[in-house]
Amino acid sequence: MSGELSPIDKAKFVAARRAADMVEDGMRVGLGTGSTAAWLVRCLGEMVREDGLKIIGVPTSTRTAELAREVGIAVMSLDEAKWLDLTIDGADEFDGELNLIKGGGGALLQEKIVASASDQMVVIADKAKEVESLGAFPLPIEVIPFGWQTTQSLVEETLISMDVLGRTATLRMDGSGPYITDEGNHILDLHLTRIGNPRQLALVINQIPGVVENGLFVDMCDTVVIGYGDGKVEVRDINEGTIETDRIDFVESDNLFKDLSD
Ligand code: 5RP
């Protein structure tokens, strides 16, 4: 990455940097996917290399696995690790109850499985991801390729009785072909504008044959670390009901900012 970091990148970085401090020696850590999670992986890699931090990382995508190995983090599969102390991941949207939309990066299935197998889930996000109601960001759902158009019709029909404002589903593309997830599935993006009842929608969508999982994370996230472009970070803990603020300095000449490929 050349030139100065944008305020959004700075916000993502400071959120990731602050969350990295929650990771302790000996922990098994779920590593999320996306540009914010990539900052986290780089920060943890630096802590492993320079401070001797000893952790096992369980990546939520092939992209994250590659980056984790590249920066020196020991990687295990979820089945090898079995249970995790902490998962740290990004989000596309979060609301006041820390319900999330995830899957903008196409990794929602592994992300949900890994977060479900963790004592704690911490979300790292820039302030722009905070919303009053979820749904402006299209809700990704992972569907199997077989009969995906039929699944799409069933999903759109199901949405008629749901508390949402929009009801169209589009197939996510990657160039001229459908986007393929790490599990070989497709993603339908649901353009809902506003989701009135995320819990109900998540349950109903998953009942539709062909749907593997949806990108609504309800009652899974314990803490959100919100980054701002000026280096401020806010840590909100939903269980404790606490909000802490902090400030992170970043030095762009730091090795962390060199040779970035994500
Ligand atoms: C990937 C995700 C990401 O966490 C989400 O898309 C946020 O990405 P970014 O940190 O790049 O804004 O859910 O499936």
Side-chain angles (χ1 to χ4, degrees):
M1 188 179 285
S2 60
E4 231 202 283
L5 289 183
S6 70
I8 290 282
D9 278 323
K10 285 179 181 170
K12 289 179 177 189
F13 168 73
V14 294
R17 184 74 213 71
R18 176 64 183 78
D21 287 339
M22 298 174 176
V23 176
E24 294 168 17
D25 240 5
M27 278 189 167
R28 293 173 181 224
V29 185
L31 304 172
T33 295
S35 55
T36 320
W39 283 120
L40 171 86
V41 173
R42 290 185 195 104
C43 290
L44 290 176
E46 189 177 60
M47 289 159 73
V48 166
R49 293 189 314 273
E50 293 181 12
D51 309 329
L53 177 73
K54 288 187 179 45
I55 54 165
I56 299 291
V58 173
T60 53
S61 62
T62 48
R63 262 172 295 165
T64 298
E66 271 168 32
L67 179 62
R69 286 195 184 97
E70 203 179 294
V71 299
I73 299 174
V75 164
M76 252 186 201
S77 70
L78 181 60
D79 286 335
E80 286 167 318
K82 293 196 168 48
W83 193 259
L84 310 181
D85 299 284
L86 176 66
T87 284
I88 306 177
D89 201 348
D92 299 301
E93 283 186 350
F94 65 93
D95 69 12
E97 292 171 15
L98 304 195
N99 296 318
L100 318 170
I101 286 186
K102 285 188 50 57
L108 67 101
L109 180 55
Q110 289 191 20
E111 289 172 337
K112 203 179 250 191
I113 295 171
V114 168
S116 304
S118 305
D119 282 340
Q120 250 200 89
M121 181 188 192
V122 173
V123 157
I124 47 179
D126 55 279
K127 172 71 178 163
K129 305 280 183 66
E130 181 168 18
V131 295
E132 203 138 303
S133 315
L134 300 176
F137 191 92
L139 174 66
I141 61 173
E142 183 152 344
V143 300
I144 65 163
F146 177 83
W148 70 265
Q149 292 180 63
T150 305
T151 306
Q152 178 181 19
S153 305
L154 284 171
V155 167
E156 287 178 336
E157 210 176 296
T158 302
L159 290 174
I160 294 171
S161 58
M162 292 286 105
D163 182 6
V164 291
L165 286 183
R167 293 186 170 83
T168 46
T170 52
L171 180 68
R172 189 177 298 180
M173 301 298 285
D174 182 11
S176 56
Y179 177 87
I180 308 288
T181 69
D182 275 351
E183 269 63 44
N185 295 318
H186 293 340
I187 299 263
L188 293 175
D189 288 306
L190 310 189
H191 303 268
L192 308 174
T193 310
R194 186 181 169 281
I195 301 171
N197 189 337
R199 182 187 310 275
Q200 182 194 43
L201 183 66
L203 290 172
V204 171
I205 295 258
N206 277 15
Q207 296 304 311
I208 300 169
V211 173
V212 182
E213 192 48 85
N214 68 81
L216 282 167
F217 285 49
V218 176
D219 284 344
M220 293 182 77
C221 173
D222 303 283
T223 305
V224 63
V225 183
I226 306 166
Y228 294 73
D230 64 357
K232 183 180 140 189
V233 278
E234 199 176 299
V235 183
R236 288 190 208 156
D237 184 317
I238 193 94
N239 303 315
E240 303 290 329
T242 53
I243 303 178
E244 279 172 30
T245 53
D246 213 339
R247 187 162 289 278
I248 306 276
D249 292 324
F250 42 82
V251 183
E252 288 189 34
S253 55
D254 198 299
N255 280 337
L256 269 180
F257 301 104
K258 289 185 185 142
D259 303 327
L260 300 179
S261 53
D262 197 328

